[in-house]
Amino acid sequence: GDSVTQMEGPVTLSEEAFLTINCTYTATGYPSLFWYVQYPGEGLQLLLKATKADDKGSNKGFEATYRKETTSFHLEKGSVQVSDSAVYFCALSRSSKSTFGDGTTLTVKP
Amino acid sequence: NAGVTQTPKFQVLKTGQSMTLQCAQDMNHNSMYWYRQDPGMGLRLIYYSASEGTTDKGEVPNGYNVSRLNKREFSLRLESAAPSQTSVYFCASSVEARGDGYTDTQYFGPGTRLTVL
């Protein structure tokens, strides 16, 4: 079946550091790929998405590129802020349902 | 626009008690979902409803039942709660889940934190 594997956390960075959170997937066909973010005590919310190979999703300085050849959708940000501290989930959607990774906790220190 | 709302926010049950978690969305979405979130296990799909009047099992349906009351509301019932059902429960909705396999962005409620003693 479908699966999503995320870089294990937690990840701790200093403010203005470069962020990469790795995500790889297994799925047949052409799934859509998503990054969701969850702030403490809240539900998940969409950060960015890509619906076909080579598409780049971007939002709030975060970017991820749909790489079909490596089945990856790595999340990057050039300069993180304290307010980016949250849990990040990679997900794919196919066949009317979504499959989520286990989440990566990011803590950014001033 | 309230988005996706869930009640209650917190609940403590004793083993064997029953309860219903309520979910409503005001975005006119066709598809609705129930997930549970446990530490280190991401989100696991319990049940989903691709349209009003239909429901399907997800990854972990045992011990739960659902009702798609109308297009807006999708409830989750625990008939006889067990400690293994202690979790955070999220309801979500999306615009559509088409036959070609595409599911659009999901919009999540704030969650219900359930403890079963």
Side-chain angles (χ1 to χ4, degrees):
Chain A
D2 297 345
S3 67
V4 175
T5 302
Q6 278 185 240
M7 167 180 174
E8 288 189 17
V11 174
T12 302
L13 296 174
S14 298
E15 207 165 22
E16 298 184 2
F18 184 85
L19 169 71
T20 299
I21 301 177
N22 291 337
C23 171
T24 57
Y25 68 90
T26 301
T28 56
Y30 300 91
S32 296
L33 301 175
F34 302 79
W35 278 101
Y36 289 87
V37 60
Q38 183 182 30
Y39 299 103
E42 298 182 7
L44 281 69
Q45 55 186 274
L46 178 70
L47 180 59
L48 53 83
K49 69 179 183 182
T51 58
K52 60 183 187 295
D54 299 324
D55 268 3
K56 177 186 282 189
S58 61
N59 185 25
K60 300 180 182 179
F62 291 90
E63 292 183 340
T65 301
Y66 189 139
R67 302 282 188 204
K68 189 159 179 63
E69 63 276 14
T70 54
T71 62
S72 65
F73 193 54
H74 304 321
L75 182 68
E76 296 182 337
K77 186 175 185 183
S79 176
V80 294
Q81 306 300 312
V82 172
S83 58
D84 293 327
S85 298
V87 182
Y88 293 82
F89 291 90
C90 185
L92 67 84
S93 74
R94 197 181 68 81
S95 303
S96 308
K97 293 179 286 186
S98 292
T99 300
F100 291 82
D102 289 345
T104 300
T105 300
L106 170 66
T107 301
V108 180
K109 296 190 172 180
Chain B
N1 235 3
V4 179
T5 57
Q6 292 183 236
T7 55
K9 288 190 178 351
F10 299 94
Q11 184 70 49
V12 178
L13 293 177
K14 295 181 179 178
T15 297
Q17 288 184 318
S18 63
M19 77 162 296
T20 300
L21 281 64
Q22 306 286 353
C23 174
Q25 52 92 8
D26 62 2
M27 295 173 283
N28 202 35
H29 287 172
N30 290 324
S31 301
M32 297 186 75
Y33 310 82
W34 275 106
Y35 295 93
R36 59 178 288 172
Q37 183 179 30
D38 301 293
M41 300 187 75
L43 273 78
R44 293 183 291 171
L45 182 66
I46 304 171
Y47 271 93
Y48 70 102
S49 170
S51 62
E52 185 179 353
T54 68
T55 60
D56 287 285
K57 295 178 180 179
E59 184 185 352
V60 288
N62 291 344
Y64 305 95
N65 285 300
V66 290
S67 295
R68 184 74 182 268
L69 304 170
N70 47 56
K71 192 170 186 179
R72 290 187 63 248
E73 299 173 289
F74 188 39
S75 63
L76 178 72
R77 183 161 178 83
L78 287 70
E79 290 291 352
S80 179
S84 60
Q85 294 178 304
T86 294
S87 187
V88 181
Y89 291 85
F90 288 100
C91 177
S93 68
S94 66
V95 172
E96 64 180 3
R98 300 197 303 253
D100 62 4
Y102 173 68
T103 299
D104 206 343
T105 302
Q106 296 197 12
Y107 295 81
F108 286 80
T112 294
R113 282 152 181 77
L114 175 66
T115 301
V116 183
L117 302 175

